[in-house]
């Protein structure tokens, strides 16, 4: 498997990178972890004439809480997320998903932000971000904009990131002081894309749900935010009946297709079961 | 493009096309044949090498990305003619059959044991789950990693 | 589990049954193996293959001018060019024909259409994109049932006299006796099931380096071949090259599992290109090429009916099977058996009557039918009978272990002639079953299963048993051949003056440990330590003729040849020892590694001393040297057996399942190196699990292959693969010189049914009777939801 020829740029600064993107637009493709892009290039499903390798730009590899949110830089590898103390202690939905991303060797290279930009509807991070109401920071020579994840994910393998923009960071809001979350993934084997993935997040105050997030993987043209299920949870106290209702609503929000992984009915029912299990697990292990 | 990569401790400078994959650079430019190619989709891990000490699939990286960095291949595991404990354990525990996945498996095991010197069976299985083996059923690979862990901890005592 | 032993001891004299660490490991753990991709020759070119995007289409035109114009491209080879040299078609191993490069039509997605030969592999792939092929799509035939319908599009319109898509019709057993058995039965149970198309998928894909010397005409071809001698003969016949000018070298092989037995178009085109261009040509297949075009396995649609009396005694078995062969009949199998050894379907059971009806059909899929870790279609047969017995147990309300036990062929019935014509050499099935039941804690697990059922638990428990018997070691020349070449095998042994030795074999290992196991055989017979013996395989100029390594045949055939040639050398050594010790031959006795004089044990000559004398001081009139060659024609197949038991936990809400305990009791006769045998069993169990759980080459309704890379064709990792508990019994083969039976494939043959039986058993109380492989969670869920309850 042999990629087509391209011109290679490895800018040393963010400014250089943005200038290259401004100059080349759609001809340029950003290379971060490369774990989605390079396989596509090897299969010649992608043949960008220009590669902008951002790996030599300093300062893009930090995980930090700052200004009321968690900030994950464009070069933060999945490996680092898996081993991050702040994520393990404060962002349980992310912590649960991290070890399920692809496989351990791929996680050493693949990046969180790169995965979001790839916008694979079977990608796990999109659902996690939907559940957590995250956003993506896009920078260009013209300036910076913060794009809520729901607006960022635009369709299968398409985002609203412009060709001259670089996604420099992802942001996740502070979870508050009483919260819980998890990620459940039905995969046929390690390294498989999700047949169904479910991200859940709950913030509570004195037993009452103050914020709920549910994201669904692999059951639609993009990752799906199960808004009705979230709304049903907010303001209630977690009970079996409420969980079943939220799970039912989440299953209704799913729009799966029948394929080799299973029928649409199957996937929808797994969404129901997983949302219920995820909420139960979250309710059982709150961080306070 | 001209790149300089530290390979098994020695700096190597070469002229490569940007599109050349790291695995082809290692195999064909450097002539190190322990890293293999087994799939097109970053699935199998037989091309795994250590990049600055961490396992990467060298079929999913361009050689130019390794410029200025350090790589270890299976050829660099033994020191002064002595097998690395992981290599010795793969032999004693029958952790290989056809040998095609073995270099990648051993490099992953080496990096893993440096991070987790006393792993459980479950942790070992998790650590090697990015690398496929078609022959052994993994059980003797797990045993080999366990044996290597024991031998390494005895040496370090 | 075994402990590693490196030398004879008082407790274990000799070299049999010793877990000698593998001699071949040294090069692999150092990264110094020599696989085909490692072969680099001066001035070497690289070849890449253009494949068809359609399952069935007429080729209107091929324009390769732009590809030819690309700098670095040396040649573009098309079917038309090959046709000029009468190389566009080649024979398959089942006597059918297969295109090397398509000329008239493409007949499956992924078929080889053109090859680019270039200075560089990247450039070769650039050039593939510049070849313009104009296709006229045709309706694709994607199931064997559709293929045999009236009016189905004719796939093989290239073949004179081929009027439909039927490949063969073949029957075994006695129809009338079977009808009579069913007429007298109290119960008849049936199962219709599909053993899906699978692929061996060794981690190393196929490839070759062909180097035809334009001056001498000698063709040296390094090739990923499990059967290099047979390939040489096929090459001589196909290409019309004189056989003495063809040297096939199988270097180290990164796994084979049957995938590397056939001749593939890439080998032929690379050789032809080297011949035409006069430079070495390397072709290394990519994974998509491997999965989409090379030898698949299975793809059998099967219905089995079992007739039983009121007590559960089996009276008769009736089987119908329809095989999906792809567009060419390319099973690697003995020519007289059209569906391989599928008629081994009576398995471990004393079935008085059986009748097996098989049909094969062409479809628009890749050809194959290779023996994927399997002795010629026995995997499918074993799966059918072991699933059918479980269905019967549920239907008649009997414990599946008891139903098996009461129907086993009994020890006093061996040699046992089966209703379909096999003569089982030896067996004792009940002890293996009993040991497996004991080790799995059968009664306790059944009690736990009942408790979970009673509680309506989300996670239900199931127990799956398979008590398989297979037939391997092909085989006796009266019945077994590949393209007419009899399935003997060979060993050539030379002891050097210093007492070291080289053993050359006609087989070719791909990880099975021959360099250690066969050295141990010689060590056992002659007393030369294994470390002093080099085992050479795979180079046709430097090894005796043999049929290769597949179908678990190496130890039954070449292993026997190695033992017998060593014994011949020992007899010559006796003559030399008698001469040296100045006694009569009959006054000598052999022990371990030396002859001593009876009654005077201090008068000895070791094998090393005798070997030295064979070159320095041999008796006048005797040929110098100590070497010999043996071609071994086995008198019968061997019949290893096993019981595999799987305990699986099934999540009834999502259909996810996990094997929580796997017990294997294998009886492969005498074990030469138990460590290597157990390695083979664990590998076999893993592939058995893989087929049961996830592996499948699927197609959509247009014949597009869904399963052409490792994202879609799933190979289990260490996380999914269960832990195995291995045990053994030993029933030697009465006809093998060492009592061995072969083991490489037993677990792949037998274990899939155990895994599936376990999952079905876990949900049988919900009304589920069958789930076809691969048992994906979705299929379990769908079976539960479709069950009558």
């Amino acid at each position: 498997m042999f990629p087509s020829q391209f011109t290679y740029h490895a800018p040393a600064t963010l400014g250089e990178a943005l200038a290259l993107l401004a100059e080349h637009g759609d001809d340029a493709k950003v290379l971060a972890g490369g774990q989605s892009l390079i396989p596509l290039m090897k299969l010649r499903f992608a043949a960008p004439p220009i590669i902008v390798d951002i790996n030599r730009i300093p300062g893009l590899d930090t995980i930090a809480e700052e200004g009321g949110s968690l900030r994950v830089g464009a070069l933060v590898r999945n490996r680092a997320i898996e081993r991050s103390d702040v994520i393990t202690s404060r962002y349980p939905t992310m912590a649960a998903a991290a070890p399920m991303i692809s496989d351990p060797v791929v996680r050493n290279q693949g990046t969180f932000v790169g995965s979001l930009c790839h916008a694979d509807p079977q990608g796990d991070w999109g659902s996690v971000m939907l559940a957590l109401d995250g956003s993506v920071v896009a920078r260009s020579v013209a300036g910076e904009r913060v794009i809520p994840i729901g607006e960022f994910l635009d369709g299968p393998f398409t985002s609203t990131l412009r060709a001259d923009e670089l996604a420099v960071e992802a942001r996740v809001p502070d979870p508050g002081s009483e919260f819980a979350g998890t990620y459940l993934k039905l995969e046929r084997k390690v390294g498989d894309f999700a047949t169904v993935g479910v991200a859940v997040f709950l913030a509570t105050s004195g037993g009452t749900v103050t914020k709920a997030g549910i994201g669904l993987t692999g059951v639609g043209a993009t990752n799906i935010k199960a808004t009705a299920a979230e709304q049903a949870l907010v303001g209630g106290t977690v009970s079996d009946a409420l969980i079943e209702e939220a799970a039912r609503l989440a299953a209704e929000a799913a729009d799966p297709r029948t394929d080799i992984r299973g029928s649409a009915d199957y996937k929808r029912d797994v969404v129901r079961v997983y949302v219920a299990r995820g909420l139960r697990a979250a309710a059982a292990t709150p961080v306070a | 493009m001209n790149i300089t990569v530290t390979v098994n401790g020695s700096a190597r400078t070469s002229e490569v096309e940007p599109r050349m994959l790291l695995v082809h650079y290692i195999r064909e430019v450097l002539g190190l044949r322990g890293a293999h190619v087994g799939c097109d989709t970053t699935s199998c891990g037989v091309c795994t090498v250590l990049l600055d000490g961490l396992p990467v699939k060298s079929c999913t990286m361009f050689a130019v990305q390794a410029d200025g960095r350090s790589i270890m291949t299976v050829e660099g595991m033994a020191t002064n003619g002595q097998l690395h404990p992981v290599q010795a354990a793969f032999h004693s525990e029958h952790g290989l059959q056809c040998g095609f996945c073995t270099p990648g498996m051993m490099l992953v095991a080496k990096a893993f044991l440096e991070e987790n010197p006393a792993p459980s069976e479950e942790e070992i299985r998790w650590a090697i789950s990015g690398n496929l083996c078609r022959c052994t059923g993994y059980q003797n690979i797990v045993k080999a990693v366990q044996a290597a862990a024991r031998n390494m901890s005895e040496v370090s005592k | 589990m075994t402990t590693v032993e490196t030398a004879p001891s008082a407790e274990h004299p000799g070299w049999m049954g010793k877990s000698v660490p593998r001699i071949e490991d040294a090069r692999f753990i150092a990264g110094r193996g020599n696989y085909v991709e490692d072969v680099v020759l001066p001035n070497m070119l690289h070849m890449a293959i253009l494949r068809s995007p359609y399952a069935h289409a007429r080729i209107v035109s091929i324009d390769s001018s732009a590809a030819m114009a690309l700098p670095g491209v040396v040649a573009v080879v098309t079917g038309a060019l090959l046709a000029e040299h009468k190389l566009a078609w080649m024979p398959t191993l089942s006597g059918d024909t297969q295109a090397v490069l398509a000329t008239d039509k493409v007949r499956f997605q992924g078929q080889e259409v053109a090859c680019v030969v270039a200075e560089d592999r990247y450039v070769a792939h650039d050039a593939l994109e510049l070849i313009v092929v104009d296709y006229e799509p045709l309706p694709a035939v994607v199931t064997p049932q559709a293929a045999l319908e009236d009016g189905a599009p004719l796939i093989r319109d290239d073949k004179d006299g081929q009027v439909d898509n039927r490949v063969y019709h073949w029957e075994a057993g006695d129809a009338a006796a079977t009808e009579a058995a069913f007429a007298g039965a109290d119960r008849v149970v049936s199962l219709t099931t599909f053993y899906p198309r699978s692929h061996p998928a060794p981690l190393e894909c196929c490839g070759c380096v062909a180097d035809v010397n334009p001056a001498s005409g000698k063709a040296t071809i390094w090739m990923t071949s499990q059967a290099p001698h047979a390939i040489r003969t096929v090459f001589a016949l196909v290409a019309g090259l004189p056989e003495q000018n063809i040297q096939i070298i199988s270097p180290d092989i990164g796994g084979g599992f049957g995938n590397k037995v056939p001749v593939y178009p890439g080998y032929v085109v690379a050789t032809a290109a080297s011949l035409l261009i006069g430079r070495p040509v390397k072709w290394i297949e990519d994974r998509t090429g491997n999965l989409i075009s090379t030898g698949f396995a299975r793809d059998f649609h099967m219905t089995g009916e079992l007739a039983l009396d009121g007590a559960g005694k089996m009276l008769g078995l009736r089987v119908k099977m329809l095989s999906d062969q792809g567009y060419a009949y390319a099973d690697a199998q003995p020519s007289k058996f059209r569906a391989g050894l599928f008629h081994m379907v009576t398995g471990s059971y004393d079935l008085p009557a059986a009748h097996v009806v098989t049909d094969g059909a062409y479809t628009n899929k890749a050809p194959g039918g290779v023996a994927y870790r399997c002795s010629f279609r026995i995997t499918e047969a074993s799966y059918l009978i072991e699933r059918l017995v479980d269905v019967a147990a549920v239907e008649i309300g009997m414990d599946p272990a008891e139903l098996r036990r009461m129907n086993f062929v009994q020890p006093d019935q061996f040699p046992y002639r089966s209703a379909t014509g096999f003569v089982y050499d030896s067996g004792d099935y009940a002890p293996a079953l009993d040991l497996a039941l004991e080790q799995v804690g059968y009664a306790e697990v059944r009690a736990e299963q009942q408790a979970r059922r009673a509680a309506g638990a989300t996670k239900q428990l199931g127990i799956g048993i398979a008590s398989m018997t297979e037939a391997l070691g092909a085989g006796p020349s009266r019945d077994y051949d590949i393209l007419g070449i009899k399935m003997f095998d060979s060993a050539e042994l030379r002891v050097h003056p210093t007492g070291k030795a080289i053993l050359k074999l006609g087989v070719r290992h791909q990880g099975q440990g021959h360099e250690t196991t066969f050295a141990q055989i010689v060590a056992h017979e002659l007393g030369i330590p294994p470390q002093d013996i080099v085992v050479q395989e795979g180079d046709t100029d430097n090894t005796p003729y043999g049929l290769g390594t597949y179908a678990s045949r190496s130890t039954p055939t070449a292993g026997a040849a190695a033992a017998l040639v060593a014994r011949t050398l020992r007899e010559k050594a006796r003559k030399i020892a008698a001469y040296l010790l100045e006694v009569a031959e009959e006054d000598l006795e052999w022990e371990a590694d030396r002859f001593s004089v009876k009654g005077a044990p201090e008068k000895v000559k070791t094998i090393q001393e005798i070997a030295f004398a064979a070159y320095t001081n041999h008796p006048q009139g005797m040929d110098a040297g100590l070497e010999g060659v043996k071609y071994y024609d086995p008198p019968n197949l061997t019949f290893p057996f096993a019981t595999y038991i799987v305990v699986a936990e099934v999540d009834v809400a999502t259909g996810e399942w996990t094997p929580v305990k796997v017990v294997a009791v294998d009886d492969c006769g005498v074990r030469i190196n138990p460590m290597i045998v157990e390695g083979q069993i664990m590998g076999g169990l893993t592939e058995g699990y893989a087929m049961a759980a996830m592996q499948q080459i699927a197609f959509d309704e247009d014949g597009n292959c869904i399963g052409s890379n490792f994202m879609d064709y799933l190979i289990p990792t260490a996380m999914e693969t269960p832990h195995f508990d291995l045990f053994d019994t030993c029933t030697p083969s009465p006809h093998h010189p060492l009592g061995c039976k072969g083991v490489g494939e037993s677990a792949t043959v037998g274990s899939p049914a155990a895994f599936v039986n376990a999952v079905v058993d876990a949900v049988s109380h919900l009304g589920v009777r069958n789930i076809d492989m691969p048992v994906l969670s979705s299929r379990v869920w769908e079976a539960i939801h479709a069950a009558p309850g």
Side-chain angles (χ1 to χ4, degrees), chain C residues 141 144 146-149 152-156 162-168 360-363:
Chain C
V141 181
L148 296 182
E149 281 172 7
L154 183 62
I155 295 167
R156 294 305 300 269
Q162 182 78 39
V163 297
D164 58 17
N165 293 320
R166 184 175 299 279
V167 180
Y168 64 79
Y362 288 125
T363 60

Side-chain angles (χ1 to χ4, degrees), chain C residues 353-673:
Chain C
H355 187 224
V356 180
V357 178
T358 69
D359 290 278
Y362 288 125
T363 60
N364 286 117
K365 298 178 185 170
V370 297
Y372 166 20
R373 216 165 178 156
C374 153
S375 188
F376 314 121
R377 305 295 197 174
I378 283 180
T379 310
E380 295 90 319
S382 178
Y383 181 75
L384 179 62
I385 187 68
E386 290 302 319
R387 283 285 301 118
L388 189 53
V389 170
D390 254 42
V391 171
V394 173
E395 294 286 323
I396 68 177
M398 220 174 140
D399 182 276
E402 283 315 302
L403 183 58
R404 284 178 168 83
R405 189 195 320 278
M406 70 175 286
N407 285 289
F408 278 153
V409 176
Q410 296 301 308
D412 61 1
Q413 291 178 278
F414 292 92
Y416 171 79
R417 180 173 289 277
S418 79
T420 56
F422 291 92
V423 179
Y424 295 16
D425 60 347
S426 64
D428 192 359
Y429 302 150
L433 173 65
D434 290 340
L435 179 56
L437 292 171
E438 178 195 326
Q439 291 297 335
V440 84
Y442 192 62
E444 294 83 354
V445 183
R446 282 278 177 225
E448 169 71 14
Q449 177 185 45
Q450 285 309 320
R452 292 200 196 186
R453 285 184 179 183
T458 303
K459 292 202 171 171
Q460 291 289 328
L461 216 51
I463 307 161
I465 304 172
S467 293
M468 77 96 207
T469 297
E470 61 164 339
L472 49 78
S477 60
R478 65 181 179 277
D479 285 330
Y480 295 91
D481 68 282
I482 299 285
L483 287 176
I485 306 167
K486 301 298 188 183
M487 295 188 74
F488 55 80
D489 227 291
S490 60
E492 186 183 318
L493 177 61
R494 179 185 305 158
V495 183
H496 304 311
T498 54
K500 318 293 184 188
I502 182 165
L503 175 69
K504 303 177 176 194
L505 301 165
V507 291
R508 185 32 169 144
H509 69 86
Q510 317 115 44
Q512 292 91 339
H514 289 187
E515 292 174 43
T516 308
T517 300
F518 290 122
Q520 279 180 257
I521 292 175
V522 172
H524 173 69
E525 298 292 343
L526 282 182
I528 300 170
Q531 294 83 352
D532 289 351
I533 300 164
V534 164
V535 175
Q536 186 175 2
E537 298 181 344
D539 178 344
T540 57
D541 273 9
N542 292 297
T543 53
Y545 204 99
L547 270 282
T549 294
Y550 44 89
S552 297
R553 65 186 299 279
S554 296
T555 295
T557 59
L564 295 178
V565 73
R567 288 173 193 176
T568 305
L569 265 54
R570 198 167 68 202
E571 286 316 298
K572 182 172 182 180
R574 177 188 294 273
K575 290 187 193 331
I576 297 172
Y579 168 75
L580 296 174
L581 292 165
E582 299 178 327
V583 296
E585 287 174 46
E586 52 273 20
D587 291 335
L588 293 173
E589 57 190 1
W590 172 261
E591 197 198 337
D593 62 349
R594 62 195 60 200
F595 282 107
S596 61
V597 178
K598 289 175 190 166
E602 74 286 358
K603 296 177 98 176
V604 300
K605 287 292 170 189
T606 65
I607 188 68
Q608 287 81 6
E609 290 169 327
I610 295 165
F612 195 68
Y615 295 88
T616 60
N617 182 25
H618 61 287
Q620 289 305 301
M622 175 190 278
D623 287 350
L626 192 54
E627 66 180 275
V629 60
K630 172 69 185 174
Y631 278 66
Y632 181 74
D633 184 359
N636 188 7
L637 301 176
T638 57
F639 292 76
F641 56 93
T643 288
Y644 304 117
I645 303 187
V646 173
V647 181
E649 199 169 64
V650 178
D651 183 329
V652 295
T654 64
E656 294 165 278
W657 64 277
T658 315
V660 293
K661 192 167 181 66
V662 179
V663 169
V665 179
D666 275 88
D667 190 323
C668 57
V670 172
R671 296 181 176 203
I672 300 163
N673 184 318

Side-chain angles (χ1 to χ4, degrees), chain C residues 213-446:
Chain C
N213 184 314
S216 68
K218 170 105 182 195
T220 307
I221 309 160
W222 289 261
M223 182 190 289
T224 47
S225 176
Q226 298 175 230
H229 294 277
I231 299 288
R232 185 187 72 197
T233 301
V234 172
F235 262 55
L237 296 172
V238 173
L241 295 170
E243 196 165 354
Q244 83 280 7
N245 271 357
I246 308 172
Q247 180 184 13
I248 309 280
I249 300 173
S250 295
D252 288 325
I253 299 179
F257 315 115
N259 184 234
K260 291 170 179 167
V261 174
V263 178
Y264 292 123
Y267 304 151
V268 177
V269 182
T271 306
S274 178
L275 181 69
L276 295 172
I277 298 167
R279 291 172 63 181
V281 174
K282 181 186 242 183
W283 165 63
I284 301 294
E285 188 177 61
D286 57 28
R287 178 55 62 188
T288 296
N290 179 252
L291 289 172
I292 207 169
S293 75
T294 67
F296 75 91
R298 327 300 187 227
D299 221 344
F300 270 22
H301 298 261
M302 307 180 284
T303 295
E305 294 174 282
L306 195 55
L308 302 122
D309 73 10
K313 180 81 187 108
M314 295 177 191
L315 304 174
L317 175 67
R318 199 157 51 193
V319 172
K320 281 197 171 154
M321 186 282 289
L322 175 59
S323 165
D324 184 337
Q325 295 292 151
Y327 95 93
Y329 182 36
D331 286 39
Q333 68 188 9
S335 57
K336 82 187 267 188
F337 304 112
R338 300 283 74 191
L341 305 186
F342 180 67
H343 52 304
M344 255 307 284
V345 67
T346 58
S348 304
Y349 308 104
D350 182 19
L351 274 153
H355 187 224
V356 180
V357 178
T358 69
D359 290 278
Y362 288 125
T363 60
N364 286 117
K365 298 178 185 170
V370 297
Y372 166 20
R373 216 165 178 156
C374 153
S375 188
F376 314 121
R377 305 295 197 174
I378 283 180
T379 310
E380 295 90 319
S382 178
Y383 181 75
L384 179 62
I385 187 68
E386 290 302 319
R387 283 285 301 118
L388 189 53
V389 170
D390 254 42
V391 171
V394 173
E395 294 286 323
I396 68 177
M398 220 174 140
D399 182 276
E402 283 315 302
L403 183 58
R404 284 178 168 83
R405 189 195 320 278
M406 70 175 286
N407 285 289
F408 278 153
V409 176
Q410 296 301 308
D412 61 1
Q413 291 178 278
F414 292 92
Y416 171 79
R417 180 173 289 277
S418 79
T420 56
F422 291 92
V423 179
Y424 295 16
D425 60 347
S426 64
D428 192 359
Y429 302 150
L433 173 65
D434 290 340
L435 179 56
L437 292 171
E438 178 195 326
Q439 291 297 335
V440 84
Y442 192 62
E444 294 83 354
V445 183
R446 282 278 177 225

Side-chain angles (χ1 to χ4, degrees), chain C residues 112-151:
Chain C
E112 301 82 358
V113 173
C115 292
V116 172
V117 182
E119 301 284 349
D120 173 271
R121 286 194 286 178
Y122 285 77
V123 172
H125 283 81
D126 291 342
L128 290 183
E129 299 193 314
L130 300 175
I131 300 174
V132 180
V133 184
D134 186 8
Y135 296 100
E136 177 189 315
L138 299 169
V141 181
V142 295
T143 67
Q145 293 86 353
L148 296 182
E149 281 172 7
D150 289 341

